[in-house]
């Protein structure tokens, strides 16, 4: 584990984990300000950023300055369904665009004002738009944390008559089960400096709305796992979601599907988007796998 990873973990333990450590603190976070979803100045100066509306929500499209792209990514950001896209997400997205990838970023509504059902409608609308000028073989569905759970839940609904499967799915530290009922989670949570199961359950109830927490649209590990496109998963060993990630990988492979897990020793939640040596290595490998899926 690098020094940078240790430092980031220490900061997260003192800030993020504390904010979600009790139901009361989590509720303050859930009902607090959401922050800006606007692309950073750095990404605007480096790339071309445009905007459009789908299902009454904003979508940011980020492409190389020269307008040329060979692959298309639909990116769903994390934040426990209660926090807005962060500068670290845009930094990761920038690396994709540097490699000639067009990235569409739906700014889905957050809990408690919005729920999972609205998000699925939005993702479906954006995916349909991508298919107007990209072949499914060019499209990757990607998300981190809560966004990765949403990505898996959406692809489980495919194919339907007018929506074919994307070429691949990339999940970074996916939140797979809103119930957090896996008995192995408790041991990992002691090592996780960021995530708190207490706070996450509060966020999950707000996001689910009228849906039960074990509904596959909220907990996609409970949804259909056969017939999915190839899935790449990235997770650290100090990530509360690791037990469910391991279970998902086993279930997909045992069912005859393709799932490849990259597990980073000592790494924390969403480590590929963090400014650490481990994160930089993961970013390069993820970008390479999207630009050239044959490298899987």
């Amino acid at each position: 584990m690098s020094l940078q990873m240790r430092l980031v973990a220490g900061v997260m333990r003192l800030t993020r984990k504390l904010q979600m450590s009790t139901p009361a603190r989590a509720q303050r976070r859930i009902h607090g300000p959401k922050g800006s979803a606007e692309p950073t100045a750095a990404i605007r100066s480096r790339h071309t950023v445009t905007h459009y509306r789908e299902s009454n929500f904003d979508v940011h499209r980020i492409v190389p300055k020269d307008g040329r792209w060979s692959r298309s990514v639909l990116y769903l950001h994390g934040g426990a369904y209660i926090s807005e896209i962060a500068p670290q997400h845009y930094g990761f997205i920038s690396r994709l665009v540097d490699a000639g990838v067009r990235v569409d970023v739906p700014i889905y509504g957050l809990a408690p004002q919005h729920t999972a059902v609205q998000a699925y409608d939005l993702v479906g609308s954006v995916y349909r738009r991508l298919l107007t000028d990209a072949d499914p073989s060019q499209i990757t569905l990607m998300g981190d944390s809560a966004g990765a759970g949403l990505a898996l839940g959406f692809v489980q609904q495919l194919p339907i008559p007018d929506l074919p499967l994307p070429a691949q799915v990339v999940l970074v530290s996916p939140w797979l089960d809103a119930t957090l009922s896996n008995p192995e989670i408790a041991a990992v949570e002691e090592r996780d400096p960021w995530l708190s199961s207490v706070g996450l359950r509060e966020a999950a109830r707000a996001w689910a709305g009228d849906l039960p927490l074990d509904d596959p649209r909220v907990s996609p590990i409970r949804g259909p796992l056969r017939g999915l496109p190839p899935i790449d998963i990235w997770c650290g060993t100090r990530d509360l979601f690791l037990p469910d990630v391991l279970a998902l990988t086993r279930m997909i492979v045992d069912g005859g599907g393709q799932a490849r897990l990259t597990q980073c020793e000592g790494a924390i939640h969403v480590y590929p988007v963090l400014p650490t040596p481990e994160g930089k290595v993961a970013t390069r490998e993820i970008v390479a796998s999207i630009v050239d899926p044959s490298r899987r």
Side-chain angles (χ1 to χ4, degrees), residues 70 81 84 114 130 145 149 239 290:
S70 59
Y81 301 119
E84 200 48 89
H114 303 278
L130 299 190
S145 193
D239 190 326
I290 290 174

Side-chain angles (χ1 to χ4, degrees), residues 3-245:
L3 174 61
Q4 294 93 324
M5 184 67 72
R6 294 179 188 274
L7 291 173
V8 171
V11 171
M12 291 301 176
R13 188 175 293 281
L14 293 173
T15 56
R16 298 296 183 87
K17 189 150 189 167
L18 189 63
Q19 291 176 355
M20 298 286 280
S21 60
T22 68
R25 287 173 176 167
Q27 285 298 324
R28 286 196 292 271
R29 177 87 181 276
I30 291 167
H31 292 275
K34 303 302 184 184
S36 172
E38 288 300 305
T40 60
I43 207 166
R44 289 182 181 278
S45 65
R46 191 177 184 89
H47 311 296
T48 298
V49 180
T50 57
H51 314 272
Y52 59 90
R53 296 276 290 179
E54 287 288 358
S55 301
N56 296 316
F57 291 97
D58 290 330
V59 184
H60 302 312
R61 171 168 285 182
I62 305 165
V63 299
K65 281 287 189 184
D66 62 10
R68 293 184 293 180
W69 53 273
S70 59
R71 310 288 301 180
S72 180
V73 167
L74 197 169
Y75 190 95
L76 300 171
H77 71 85
Y81 301 119
I82 60 172
S83 296
E84 200 48 89
I85 187 170
Q88 291 82 2
H89 294 123
Y90 280 122
F92 180 87
I93 289 167
S94 185
R95 302 285 79 78
L96 286 169
V97 181
D98 283 341
V101 178
R102 180 185 69 180
V103 184
D104 286 63
V105 186
I107 305 302
Y108 58 88
L110 303 173
Q113 291 83 8
H114 303 278
T115 64
V117 172
Q118 293 167 300
Y120 279 90
D121 290 340
L122 170 61
V123 176
S125 294
V126 175
Y127 189 62
R128 284 187 175 87
R129 180 184 284 255
L130 299 190
L131 290 169
T132 62
D133 62 0
D135 188 84
S137 64
Q138 295 176 287
I139 298 175
T140 297
L141 186 59
M142 180 176 182
D144 72 276
S145 193
L150 178 57
L152 178 59
F154 174 73
V155 80
Q156 285 173 336
Q157 301 180 14
L158 304 175
I160 57 179
D162 63 334
L163 291 180
L165 291 168
Q168 61 182 342
V169 178
V170 176
L171 307 177
V172 174
S173 297
W175 187 3
L176 299 167
D177 190 350
T179 73
L180 296 172
S181 57
N182 188 325
E184 297 177 12
I185 286 176
V188 182
E189 185 169 5
E190 294 179 1
R191 304 194 303 270
D192 187 324
W194 187 338
L195 301 180
S196 165
S197 60
V198 172
L200 287 172
R201 288 190 182 96
E202 296 293 318
R205 283 189 281 268
W207 176 249
D210 294 331
L211 299 174
L213 290 185
D214 60 359
D215 187 290
R217 288 167 290 180
V218 182
S219 297
I221 198 171
R222 300 169 184 270
L225 298 176
R226 292 180 181 270
L228 300 176
I231 296 179
D232 282 352
I233 311 171
W234 302 74
C235 194
T237 59
R238 299 171 68 196
D239 190 326
L240 181 151
F241 296 149
L242 179 62
D244 285 335
V245 164

